[in-house]
Amino acid sequence: MSADWSSALARARAHAPFLAHALERQPELAALLAAGDGEAALAFARSVGEGIADTGIALRRERLAIATTLAIGDLAGAFPLLRVTGELSALADRALDRAISAAIRMRVPDAQPAGMIALALGKHGANELNYSSDIDPILLYDPAKLPRRERDEPGEAAQRYAREIVRLLSENTPEGYVFRVDLRLRPASEVSPLAIPIDAALTHYESSALAWERAAFIRARACAGDVAAGKAFLAAIRPFVWRRSLDFGAIVEIRRLTARIRASHSGPKSPQPGFNVKLGRGGIREIEFFAQTHQLIHGGRDPSLRLRGTRETLDALAGAGLIEASDARMLGENYDRLRRVEHRLQMVADQQTHVLPDGKALDNVAHLDGLPDGAALVAELTEITGEVAARFDALIAGDEPEHYAVPATGDTLAIRLEALGFDQPTQLAERIAGWTDGRIRALRSDAARAAFEALLPALLERFAQAPDPVQALNRWERVLAAAPSALNLFRLLEARPALLDQLVRILLLAPPLAEALGRRPELLDTLIDKSALDLPGSVAEIAAKMARREVDDDYERTLDRIRIVTGEQRFALGLQTIAAVHDPLEISTALARTAEAALQVAQAAAEDEFARIHGHVPGRELVVLGLGRFGGGALTHASDLDVIYLFSGDFEGESDGPRPIGVTLYFNRLAQRVSAALSVPTAEGALYDVDTRLRPQGAQGPLAVSFDSFAKYQHEDAWTWEHMALTRARPLTGSDAARAELQGIVDSVVQQERDPEVLKADVLRMRAEMAAHKPPKGPLDAKLARGGLVDLEFLIHYLQLRERIAFTPRLGGAVDTLVESGLLPASLIEARRLMTRLLVAGRLLAPDLAEPGPDAAQALAEACGQPDFPALLRSFDEARQEVAAAWADSFGEKLETHPK
């Protein structure tokens, strides 16, 4: 079949918003594709980053151009699957190599990447990357060869380079991203640094690696950095991967891996909306594991099977007589088709999804693929996955239930689960037993397994009482998988049932807290701390905990410390919320104090680091203006930080460091550094999303502007909504004098005289536009529901600006003053408090803003000071009616709180 470039472009523009936008952004590339010159388009795409000094920008532009070209070529039928996946994998190789070089040269100019190795694993290693894939490299380094500054220890330098490599590739900038990077396949990822010394990695693979790691290394290759050293490393561990003989225990372990693919996936079992073409029954993963399992069993004796690609492996297995040729052909063809469907799903919005959508979205994917509708796609996938699943069933049919049995108070685990009322007890028993087979680090020792088995009966009894026992068990599994060790925890939970109850309460009631535990199991330590139920102190006291502890602490350690303390504080405040220990209003202000402390410490650290190269600008300083809930000192667990970066003084002169730069550039780069210090993930995880879109001219304007420019813009060019935002503005950093000067500018703007009718029309128009574009997300949306907090805030800001009174960034104080002035009814004081409590507690107990399960609903009611959930709903409705009545009094416009 000849290539149809015209149809491909038409389908891309009609059915893939990401591709449509990408084509619009790249007219020269679009012209080459329209001409049907795929090779010229690819050559052009590879060259778009040439000559760009900024590695991150160069790689992002190259990635966008190549992704666009490959997508259209794929849709046109011009590029076969292996060409598409091979080009994507080659791009990943180049990107990793450039990122390694750039990271090293930031500290050691002109150095070669000797001693820094990137191993490609998984689809990347097999040159089979999908259209929107993560890459899963392992980063190794040779301490003797790694370029570094004289004062840097090799280990510290390697971690610094690793963090910069991840940032260069993963950070989502206005130019997009290159690849999401997942380093969790490295040895002992729960406790190990991001980059591993070669000797330590060799020791791990020779002594304590698991069967799944052997499977991972089937497709490993040295792809970037010091490739020669990487090849030597892979040669050294070849006996670990390809063993000439397997004992019975190893074969059972391999079969357990295959069985857990099914056990760990809870989506639909057959193609339909929600079906996962990668992880679902008969999907991509089962074909890959079918091939790899045979390789692990037979590849030690037969070198012809030591291949990376899935299709070539299937053909080799057939050639060796290990599987039928017809099976190899069927699995290979179905694999290619499933991969193409996977690509179609990902092309729509450049998202790493493998799940079939529903309704029109499913039809849209089918149309992008050239099929008449979603039903045709589902029918085709049903036939494909049925054939694959039958072969995979035969592969794992030899497993016996007793291989997975774990003692539980004298009975088999399956019998106990059935007695407790769990659905599918046999499958659950197999899954739980799989926790103790060595894959989960915390359960590898005999002592840990014994302690866990002693705890298991009590744990299962509590899970069984939950509205969704399996969901609770899923969350516990994530905590276990992430914990480096857990022996003491198991013993402590067994000895202190109240502590176990607290943990189970978190797992059952608060998905965001359970997810936080899954990422950082060490947060469990906060449950043991006696101060876990106390509110944190002042901003200064919290900041003192975050500030540098040791003289030799570097910038990265400071950022890690900020994240550790912030995570502990937020987790403790979440626990206090779901336990109704403190009023959510107090929780909200404590979350804001924590964020303010993080900002202050992060800015100070960023300024020190920046000054080492560029010095300071005498007589001028960076001041951060907080807005929204941050400015008002009342955050939730899900809040972004709304800020504007400003600097005092004029534009004249330059900085006084070794590499001086102009004033405006200095403060804009410093502002970028502060944002990164707060938002870029480190080894200790992520922190906050920083939103700077409220700055003058929004995303089109400079990140940091001078006080004078800010004042001029606000007085002459700003919109009404920008002045409304300033009613909650509060300087958060800087000297007392600079804060006072900035506050004076804010005051002069909000207190200026206005035409009441123009103000009223602006406010009503803005709220109507917001309501049209941002409807409430669920029945518990205290923010966006009509009559909710957004309406109340608009009403308050309107009265503040009209009457030029009640200017305080704290919403509660503004309401109090407006009530005292007779401009609002006293009932709004309690209405605001009730809805704010619902907003804060709901972010944890009902994060999707739908009615939660019975236990979470009761906890939400108690946190909001209500006897039960129906009472909470009534109070919420009454609060909204109070806001609607006040709205009508002030604007003469009815507010539909119950639209039909």
Side-chain angles (χ1 to χ4, degrees):
M1 186 177 68
S2 61
D4 190 345
W5 294 91
S6 176
S7 171
L9 286 164
R11 282 180 282 139
R13 290 189 169 108
H15 304 294
F18 166 71
L19 292 177
H21 182 61
L23 290 165
E24 184 178 322
R25 283 180 59 184
Q26 305 169 99
E28 189 174 353
L29 178 61
L32 289 171
L33 294 169
D37 196 342
E39 295 305 323
L42 268 176
F44 173 83
R46 295 189 196 103
S47 70
V48 294
E50 292 175 3
I52 299 175
D54 187 309
T55 301
I57 293 175
L59 289 175
R60 280 158 178 77
R61 291 185 183 175
E62 182 182 356
R63 185 263 171 184
L64 179 65
I66 286 180
T68 307
T69 303
L70 293 175
I72 302 303
D74 187 359
L75 292 171
F79 297 151
L81 177 68
L82 287 180
R83 178 71 186 278
V84 174
T85 59
E87 290 286 349
L88 289 169
S89 301
L91 171 63
D93 290 357
R94 294 195 300 275
L96 261 173
D97 198 65
R98 288 195 62 184
I100 289 171
S101 295
I104 291 174
R105 288 170 183 164
M106 283 179 65
R107 293 186 67 80
V108 189
D110 301 323
Q112 297 301 312
M116 193 74 182
I117 302 163
L119 302 178
L121 276 74
K123 287 186 171 67
H124 183 194
N127 288 303
E128 292 178 343
L129 275 182
N130 64 46
Y131 190 75
S132 184
S133 183
D134 289 356
I135 56 175
D136 305 280
I138 290 177
L139 298 179
L140 306 175
Y141 68 95
D142 183 344
K145 295 169 58 181
L146 187 70
R148 64 185 193 280
R149 293 181 181 177
E150 188 171 323
R151 69 172 183 270
D152 289 347
E153 291 294 324
E156 293 176 356
Q159 305 327 307
R160 182 180 287 108
Y161 299 155
R163 286 192 290 268
E164 181 62 15
I165 291 163
V166 172
R167 186 195 69 79
L168 278 170
L169 298 180
S170 299
E171 186 178 18
N172 213 330
T173 75
E175 294 280 350
Y177 68 99
V178 190
F179 287 98
R180 293 171 291 265
V181 181
D182 187 341
L183 298 177
R184 287 177 295 178
L185 292 184
R186 68 188 187 274
S189 63
E190 308 90 346
V191 294
S192 65
L194 299 180
I196 312 292
I198 288 178
D199 287 345
L202 285 170
T203 299
H204 171 82
Y205 293 122
E206 290 169 355
S207 62
S208 57
L210 301 172
W212 70 265
E213 292 178 286
R214 293 186 58 219
F217 268 88
I218 287 176
R219 300 191 285 182
R221 62 185 174 84
C223 69
D226 194 338
V227 173
K231 289 180 177 178
F233 174 83
L234 291 177
I237 66 166
R238 189 176 295 129
F240 152 71
V241 181
W242 304 112
R243 297 178 183 174
R244 291 192 58 80
S245 62
L246 286 177
D247 59 27
F248 177 77
I251 294 172
V252 169
E253 194 174 13
I254 291 167
R255 283 180 169 165
R256 284 177 175 173
L257 288 172
T258 63
R260 274 205 300 270
I261 293 174
R262 292 265 179 87
S264 62
H265 180 62
S266 58
K269 302 301 182 187
S270 60
Q272 60 184 287
F275 179 78
N276 191 310
V277 298
K278 176 181 178 181
L279 302 178
R281 186 174 187 271
I284 292 167
R285 178 65 63 81
E286 293 194 355
I287 299 175
E288 293 172 344
F289 231 82
F290 180 93
Q292 291 164 26
T293 299
H294 283 91
Q295 283 179 291
L296 281 176
I297 294 172
H298 303 287
R301 290 183 175 273
D302 185 349
S304 70
L305 303 178
R306 299 175 189 176
L307 304 168
R308 297 190 183 99
T310 301
R311 286 217 63 173
E312 63 181 348
T313 297
L314 291 169
D315 291 342
L317 291 170
L322 295 170
I323 64 174
E324 294 293 331
S326 58
D327 283 351
R329 184 171 54 255
M330 178 273 294
L331 289 171
E333 291 173 354
N334 286 345
Y335 182 74
D336 284 0
R337 180 55 180 148
L338 288 169
R339 293 297 307 275
R340 285 195 292 271
V341 172
E342 176 187 52
H343 285 183
R344 304 297 181 264
L345 292 169
Q346 296 171 347
M347 288 174 186
V348 173
D350 193 27
Q351 293 179 342
Q352 193 192 18
T353 180
H354 311 278
V355 176
L356 296 181
D358 57 11
K360 293 181 179 178
L362 180 60
D363 289 335
N364 183 70
V365 172
H367 294 154
L368 179 63
D369 188 57
L371 293 174
D373 54 32
L377 178 59
V378 167
E380 181 183 3
L381 291 176
T382 299
E383 180 178 355
I384 288 172
T385 56
E387 291 178 338
V388 172
R391 303 309 186 279
F392 194 73
D393 287 341
L395 177 69
I396 62 176
D399 291 321
E400 297 297 331
E402 58 264 31
H403 291 152
Y404 308 104
V406 176
T409 61
D411 299 319
T412 67
L413 183 54
I415 294 173
R416 182 164 188 81
L417 288 167
E418 185 174 21
L420 288 170
F422 282 89
D423 293 333
Q424 299 182 317
T426 302
Q427 291 89 333
L428 265 185
E430 292 177 358
R431 180 177 169 190
I432 293 170
W435 298 348
T436 61
D437 67 1
R439 181 180 178 89
I440 293 180
R441 181 181 179 86
L443 289 170
R444 287 180 186 169
S445 72
D446 292 340
R449 285 193 294 272
F452 174 67
E453 290 173 10
L455 174 68
L456 190 58
L459 196 66
L460 293 178
E461 286 173 8
R462 285 162 173 80
F463 287 164
Q465 296 164 11
D468 189 343
V470 175
Q471 184 183 64
L473 190 138
N474 290 341
R475 292 172 180 163
W476 168 251
E477 183 178 53
R478 285 197 289 273
V479 173
L480 272 185
S485 63
L487 177 59
N488 291 335
L489 172 67
F490 297 151
R491 289 172 175 168
L492 182 66
L493 293 174
E494 185 183 8
R496 292 175 55 183
L499 197 60
L500 176 60
D501 289 338
Q502 262 187 348
L503 172 60
V504 172
R505 187 176 178 86
I506 289 170
L507 296 175
L508 297 180
L509 302 184
L513 296 185
E515 289 168 9
L517 273 181
R519 292 189 299 271
R520 288 188 59 204
E522 64 271 20
L523 288 172
L524 285 170
D525 293 344
T526 13
L527 300 179
I528 303 169
D529 193 331
K530 292 181 179 178
S531 65
L533 299 182
D534 295 338
L535 290 169
S538 65
V539 171
E541 290 171 329
I542 301 171
K545 295 181 180 179
M546 298 177 181
R548 295 177 177 176
R549 291 295 185 88
E550 303 293 340
V551 177
D552 62 346
D553 269 357
D554 62 10
Y555 182 59
E556 287 78 8
R557 287 178 183 170
T558 300
L559 299 190
D560 284 344
R561 183 68 187 167
I562 294 170
R563 283 154 175 75
I564 291 169
V565 174
T566 300
E568 290 171 350
Q569 295 283 13
R570 292 171 73 176
F571 186 82
L573 289 167
L575 175 61
Q576 294 168 26
T577 303
I578 67 173
V581 175
H582 297 291
D583 190 326
L585 299 177
E586 295 178 305
I587 301 291
S588 182
T589 58
L591 287 167
R593 292 199 301 276
T594 302
E596 192 173 341
L599 168 63
Q600 291 180 5
V601 177
Q603 179 173 332
E607 287 174 339
D608 289 346
E609 183 74 2
F610 198 67
R612 289 195 309 105
I613 300 172
H614 299 294
H616 300 89
V617 179
R620 278 151 287 192
E621 59 183 294
L622 184 72
V623 181
V624 178
L625 185 68
L627 297 102
R629 301 193 65 81
F630 195 23
L635 296 180
T636 72
H637 274 80
S639 291
D640 295 346
L641 304 186
D642 293 311
V643 302
I644 296 176
Y645 292 106
L646 301 155
F647 59 91
S648 60
D650 57 32
F651 304 93
E652 299 300 323
E654 58 184 15
S655 62
D656 59 9
R659 290 166 55 185
I661 53 177
V663 174
T664 300
L665 180 59
Y666 180 95
F667 284 109
N668 271 271
R669 285 188 179 175
L670 177 57
Q672 289 175 337
R673 185 69 66 94
V674 175
S675 283
L678 286 167
S679 58
V680 173
T682 73
E684 295 297 335
L687 196 57
Y688 293 104
D689 288 329
V690 178
D691 191 337
T692 60
R693 290 174 295 177
L694 291 174
R695 66 186 187 269
Q697 300 175 358
Q700 304 305 313
L703 187 58
V705 299
S706 71
F707 283 10
D708 289 344
S709 297
F710 178 73
K712 186 175 187 298
Y713 173 85
Q714 291 293 342
H715 281 293
E716 298 177 6
D717 299 316
W719 298 80
T720 298
W721 66 263
E722 293 177 281
H723 289 180
M724 291 171 65
L726 287 188
T727 62
R728 302 189 74 183
R730 181 168 59 99
L732 300 175
T733 67
S735 66
D736 290 346
R739 292 194 196 200
E741 182 182 353
L742 180 55
Q743 187 63 57
I745 294 171
V746 171
D747 292 344
S748 71
V749 172
V750 297
Q751 290 174 357
Q752 66 189 32
E753 191 170 351
R754 303 166 196 276
D755 183 324
E757 292 305 314
V758 172
L759 175 64
K760 177 180 176 181
D762 285 348
V763 171
L764 290 176
R765 183 178 64 256
M766 286 184 291
R767 183 61 184 109
E769 290 176 357
M770 186 176 181
H773 293 95
K774 296 183 72 174
K777 298 176 181 177
L780 298 178
D781 195 337
K783 180 179 177 181
L784 294 175
R786 294 318 304 259
L789 285 169
V790 167
D791 284 321
L792 179 56
E793 290 167 9
F794 267 67
L795 178 56
I796 291 167
H797 300 332
Y798 165 68
L799 293 173
Q800 288 173 310
L801 294 176
R802 188 188 76 183
E803 302 296 326
R804 293 189 285 170
I805 62 169
F807 290 118
T808 169
R810 303 187 187 278
L811 214 59
V815 173
D816 292 343
T817 302
L818 292 171
V819 168
E820 291 169 5
S821 302
L823 295 168
L824 288 178
S827 58
L828 288 191
I829 294 175
E830 187 51 40
R832 182 202 69 84
R833 294 170 67 85
L834 183 281
M835 290 193 292
T836 303
R837 291 185 181 109
L838 178 56
L839 177 73
V840 176
R843 287 290 186 262
L844 295 176
L845 293 161
D848 59 357
L849 302 179
E851 180 176 336
D855 290 352
Q858 181 60 32
L860 181 59
E862 291 174 4
C864 295
Q866 302 294 310
D868 51 40
F869 189 67
L872 172 60
L873 293 180
R874 288 193 299 272
S875 295
F876 179 34
D877 185 64
E878 291 166 2
R880 292 168 59 209
Q881 300 308 320
E882 295 289 350
V883 172
W887 184 279
D889 287 344
S890 292
F891 291 116
E893 175 186 273
K894 185 178 180 183
L895 208 60
E896 285 292 343
T897 58
H898 298 291
K900 296 179 182 177

